[in-house]
Amino acid sequence: MVLRKLPGVSASGMGLRLSQKFVFLLFLSGLVTLCFGALFFLPDSVRLKRIFLSKNESPAVTVGSENELSKKVPGDPEHQRAGLKGAEANLKLKVSRKPSVTHGARTVERSVGSRAQDEWSPARAHEPAARDERVTAAAHNQEHSSSFNYEAFKKCLLKPPMGKDQGTPSDSGTLQRREKVKEMMKFAWDNYKLYAWGKNELRPLTRNGHIGNMFGGLRGASIVDSLDTLYIMGLMEEYEEAKEWVQSNLDLNSNGEASLFEVNIRYVGGLLSAFYLTGAEIFKQKVLELGEKLLPAFNTPTGIPRGVINLGSGTSWSWGWASAGSSILAEFGTLHLEFVHLSELSGNPVFTEKVMNIRKLLDKIEKPHGLYPNFLSPVSGNWVQHHVSIGGLGDSFYEYLIKSFLMSDKTDEEAKKMYYSAMEAIEMNLVQKSPGGLTYVAEWRGGILDHKMGHLACFCGGMIGIGAEDAPAGQKQHYLDLAGQITHTCHESYSRSATKLGPEAFRFDGGAEATATRLSDRYYILRPEVVESYMYMWRLTHDPKYREWGWEAVEALEKHCRVDAGFSGIRDVYASSDSHDNMQQSFFLSETLKYLYLLFSDDDLLPLEDWVFNTEAHPLPIIRKACSTDGQTPLE
Ligand code: DMJ
């Protein structure tokens, strides 16, 4: 090769300069590679975040994609259960994985959200900040939790939790119905015990257990979810078995990815209730241990937790199906009741601080038409998408506002104010009357109404009912009427089907009146929301129709969902022959059967003057300031 001579530069001189440059460049790139390499190969790869992101930032790791989501059949239990399936493997491959469709949550929504933006390889090691916080909380809990005085707490209750006679109704017809519900619980429990003991749910057709991925490797969801139901129903042998399992087998040292929301409402809620009802120390010990493990989820720039947390490392992620790495209103808005009780039991304010921070942010942020959209960025603290719903993705946030007010012995004025202004906005923008005269709550997408109501949204009859008492002047009757009308509509969605069970979603357009128009909305997975509203409306009005409607539901469950080895959801409530989904959901034991049992009991069983139910129907006591925390000054 002939080198053309550059002016003033000899051939050998030019060669020297070129090789010098080459060596220099080589050195430079080596240096850069070394620096980055060192960072990546440090045992804690999270260090990168501390260099490139702000102090509390932890990168959004997306799990799943909307495209994958829409390929699955929503009624398919595998789809509903998909959750974090294959999470570990997929994350290692850095690919989008199956979405979380936490069927059990009111956050279930299959068609919203866009493919989330970033895909990160998550940190596998402990994040030191998370670890430190856990260690501090654990130390604090150990030091202070023994100061919670259970006997003093009991004296603070206005009435005995179990009523004067376990809520036994005086008329024999109602008693017989209640006995039937108890028998259903025993049947569901016995089969779970026989075929799925220690697993999360029973698969009644194949007679085996299901573990799933929602609980981050925790086991025994049906056991923890059932503790209080068994106790309330007086199934004491079964309750003792459940307690013994918690004592000997509930291992909280799992290392999987869990839905923060699901673990909170089922495990934290279940253990808290079991402790408050029975006083058994083991439940308090376990729930405080679990509460500590959830704390790192709040380590985001805003303190709004992400949806998924690794219970081992404390690292958290956003759901892949959630718009642009956002967090879900119904998930981060459904922690308040349990976290306040964690502080109450531990004497450690950190739990309350975390949820109060969420509350403050939501109170301050601008709301379109006074409405709360379902997706919020945990990084910027801004809404990500203007989809509003009192059903999936939004629901229990509203429920926890009014229940926080009630649980605070009506002292939490902020929760009260936020609840009633949210209700006003909902009434103004979402509440509709169908051509046939049915009142329903539509969904809102950037100002456009979607005339559908999900089964999940049917809880709001009960919620609006219990909120009526403290409504702004002159509105009490209005709210009671609205609660009654919505509960009536939800009952219609049941009575218009062949099975007398309601579909997952029903519509009010194209001539539909409370019926599902899409095949994919026709399933029923043993959900509680409709009977939940019957129970509250019964307590508030004593209108016998609510007990009749509850009994219709019992008969339909017996006819269509009872199989040889438990209860199962069905795929089509309009079909003349049943196709079962092979899943006995844990919320069937914790909620559906508990609400039915309470519906046929006297009001003094878990009186509403003393108890609020979390969104998984676990009763939590109202905190009376005079008796709070130190437990020293009980009301007499
Ligand atoms: C339950 O896990 C809870 O009620 C939750 O708030 C919503 N979904 C299920 C029951 O449908």
Side-chain angles (χ1 to χ4, degrees):
M1 184 164 78
V2 180
L3 271 175
R4 272 194 62 208
K5 224 180 137 188
L6 293 174
V9 180
S10 72
S12 64
M14 190 170 73
L16 193 67
R17 291 224 181 131
L18 275 177
S19 69
Q20 273 173 343
K21 271 187 193 158
F22 179 68
V23 169
F24 177 69
L25 279 175
L26 206 65
F27 172 72
L28 206 67
S29 68
L31 200 70
V32 171
T33 315
L34 256 175
C35 290
F36 274 89
L39 279 170
F40 277 105
F41 287 106
L42 280 174
D44 177 4
S45 61
V46 184
R47 275 157 222 255
L48 276 173
K49 292 184 294 190
R50 272 184 268 129
I51 292 172
F52 295 112
L53 300 173
S54 64
K55 194 158 155 257
N56 287 325
E57 170 67 279
S58 65
V61 177
T62 61
V63 284
S65 72
E66 191 188 8
N67 288 354
E68 285 169 327
L69 189 63
S70 53
K71 269 186 238 150
K72 303 281 276 174
V73 185
D76 174 3
E78 267 314 320
H79 176 218
Q80 295 147 7
R81 283 266 154 202
L84 299 165
K85 207 168 195 169
E88 295 280 336
N90 283 344
L91 280 168
K92 276 180 192 143
L93 292 171
K94 278 197 186 183
V95 294
S96 258
R97 64 187 174 184
K98 246 185 184 174
S100 149
V101 180
T102 54
H103 65 89
R106 288 195 182 113
T107 57
V108 176
E109 177 76 28
R110 296 168 183 89
S111 55
V112 296
S114 57
R115 184 184 287 273
Q117 289 158 349
D118 350 350
E119 294 201 353
W120 275 67
S121 176
R124 288 275 134 210
H126 282 257
E127 187 155 4
R131 194 179 47 219
D132 292 352
E133 193 162 28
R134 284 174 168 178
V135 171
T136 318
H140 190 289
N141 290 347
Q142 260 183 6
E143 204 184 313
H144 296 271
S145 66
S146 54
S147 65
F148 182 84
N149 185 337
Y150 184 73
E151 289 312 311
F153 148 73
K154 279 212 307 206
K155 288 187 188 149
C156 275
L157 297 172
L158 302 176
K159 297 182 171 170
M162 300 298 289
K164 59 177 181 340
D165 185 20
Q166 325 284 305
T168 309
S170 49
D171 79 285
S172 62
T174 309
L175 181 59
Q176 262 179 26
R177 289 178 170 186
R178 189 171 92 141
E179 284 304 301
K180 178 68 209 170
V181 176
K182 182 171 171 177
E183 183 278 330
M184 291 163 82
M185 178 70 189
K186 182 151 167 53
F187 179 71
W189 176 262
D190 285 348
N191 280 292
Y192 166 77
K193 189 175 146 196
L194 192 58
Y195 299 115
W197 189 241
K199 303 287 191 313
N200 285 328
E201 296 92 1
L202 164 70
R203 286 186 174 281
L205 301 187
T206 44
R207 302 187 183 215
N208 58 348
H210 177 263
I211 292 177
N213 302 283
M214 279 195 312
F215 308 117
L218 297 178
R219 297 285 193 271
S222 289
I223 299 178
V224 177
D225 245 0
S226 295
L227 284 161
D228 51 12
T229 311
L230 294 169
Y231 187 81
I232 292 159
M233 291 183 177
L235 290 164
M236 294 317 283
E237 215 176 283
E238 290 77 3
Y239 160 74
E240 289 299 339
E241 291 162 357
K243 180 181 163 196
E244 163 55 27
W245 185 89
V246 169
Q247 177 123 30
S248 318
N249 298 293
L250 178 57
D251 180 7
L252 301 176
N253 291 315
S254 67
N255 197 33
E257 283 89 15
S259 156
L260 172 67
F261 165 83
E262 296 290 355
V263 168
N264 178 58
I265 66 169
R266 301 193 202 206
Y267 283 84
V268 176
L271 292 167
L272 282 171
S273 286
F275 172 68
Y276 281 116
L277 286 173
T278 68
E281 279 294 307
I282 182 66
F283 300 130
K284 186 176 80 182
Q285 193 188 306
K286 290 282 182 191
V287 80
L288 293 183
E289 199 187 320
L290 181 56
E292 288 153 25
K293 288 184 184 293
L294 302 181
L295 284 174
F298 298 81
N299 291 338
T300 64
T302 55
I304 298 285
R306 294 201 165 90
V308 188
I309 177 169
N310 181 306
L311 294 176
S313 68
T315 311
S316 61
W317 298 266
S318 299
W319 296 112
W321 48 266
S323 249
S326 56
S327 297
I328 311 299
L329 181 68
E331 295 200 329
F332 63 78
T334 308
L335 302 164
H336 202 101
L337 304 181
E338 296 81 3
F339 273 58
V340 165
H341 269 295
L342 287 173
S343 281
E344 192 62 15
L345 288 189
S346 64
N348 187 349
V350 69
F351 300 102
T352 301
E353 283 161 16
K354 300 286 181 200
V355 289
M356 281 313 287
N357 176 56
I358 299 176
R359 163 83 67 74
K360 297 274 170 242
L361 188 144
L362 289 174
D363 189 24
K364 261 213 266 152
I365 185 173
E366 200 175 311
K367 294 166 261 297
H369 301 271
L371 296 165
Y372 291 81
N374 292 334
F375 298 93
L376 186 95
S377 161
V379 176
S380 67
N382 293 323
W383 303 119
V384 171
Q385 228 192 44
H386 284 184
H387 171 222
V388 178
S389 158
I390 201 157
L393 304 174
D395 52 11
S396 39
F397 158 68
Y398 305 97
E399 176 185 355
Y400 271 36
L401 283 180
I402 185 64
K403 289 184 175 174
S404 296
F405 170 64
L406 298 174
M407 200 181 83
S408 70
D409 201 16
K410 304 194 176 178
T411 61
D412 187 344
E413 288 296 329
E414 186 177 51
K416 180 182 183 186
K417 178 201 80 186
M418 287 169 73
Y419 171 75
Y420 290 107
S421 29
M423 281 312 301
E424 205 183 311
I426 285 170
E427 261 204 274
M428 189 99 79
N429 295 284
L430 308 186
V431 173
Q432 305 286 307
K433 187 80 95 188
S434 73
L438 297 177
T439 303
Y440 62 98
V441 193
E443 301 198 359
W444 193 86
R445 295 174 195 277
I448 296 171
L449 285 183
D450 187 4
H451 295 272
K452 85 160 198 224
M453 209 172 148
H455 192 289
L456 291 161
C458 283
F459 85 100
C460 82
M463 176 189 75
I464 296 170
I466 55 170
E469 180 70 35
D470 301 285
Q475 299 229 51
K476 176 175 171 177
Q477 195 52 47
H478 165 72
Y479 278 121
L480 272 179
D481 292 344
L482 181 61
Q485 287 157 11
I486 293 173
T487 307
H488 169 73
T489 299
C490 291
H491 174 252
E492 284 300 301
S493 79
Y494 275 46
S495 50
R496 290 171 192 219
S497 80
T499 56
K500 304 296 171 221
L501 292 166
E504 179 67 4
F506 44 94
R507 305 197 62 93
F508 300 88
D509 48 12
E513 288 268 343
T515 50
T517 54
R518 297 175 188 169
L519 266 178
S520 58
D521 285 338
R522 292 176 164 204
Y523 62 96
Y524 171 70
I525 55 167
L526 307 175
R527 286 200 193 277
E529 293 76 18
V530 175
V531 296
E532 174 180 351
S533 284
Y534 296 165
M535 191 283 287
Y536 283 113
M537 293 311 291
W538 163 255
R539 288 243 177 143
L540 294 166
T541 65
H542 291 127
D543 184 332
K545 76 180 174 200
Y546 295 114
R547 279 187 164 168
E548 289 312 312
W549 291 354
W551 185 245
E552 286 169 13
V554 167
E555 289 186 318
L557 284 164
E558 282 286 284
K559 189 161 171 205
H560 299 285
C561 300
R562 189 169 179 136
V563 292
D564 289 345
F567 286 89
S568 167
I570 53 175
R571 295 179 197 276
D572 185 351
V573 294
Y574 302 107
S576 50
S577 68
D578 299 320
S579 165
H580 294 105
D581 69 5
N582 196 21
M583 186 64 72
Q584 179 175 285
Q585 308 283 353
S586 80
F587 53 69
F588 180 64
L589 299 102
S590 77
E591 294 193 74
T592 312
L593 293 177
K594 187 189 284 136
Y595 285 132
L596 284 166
Y597 188 80
L598 291 173
L599 177 65
F600 300 120
S601 296
D602 281 355
D603 296 358
D604 66 354
L605 179 59
L606 296 174
L608 298 180
E609 292 94 323
D610 278 324
W611 300 87
V612 295
F613 292 86
N614 88 338
T615 194
E616 188 78 1
H618 295 304
L620 300 172
I622 286 173
I623 298 172
R624 304 219 147 77
K625 277 286 172 288
C627 309
S628 167
T629 312
D630 64 0
Q632 297 310 306
T633 47
L635 293 173
E636 290 296 346

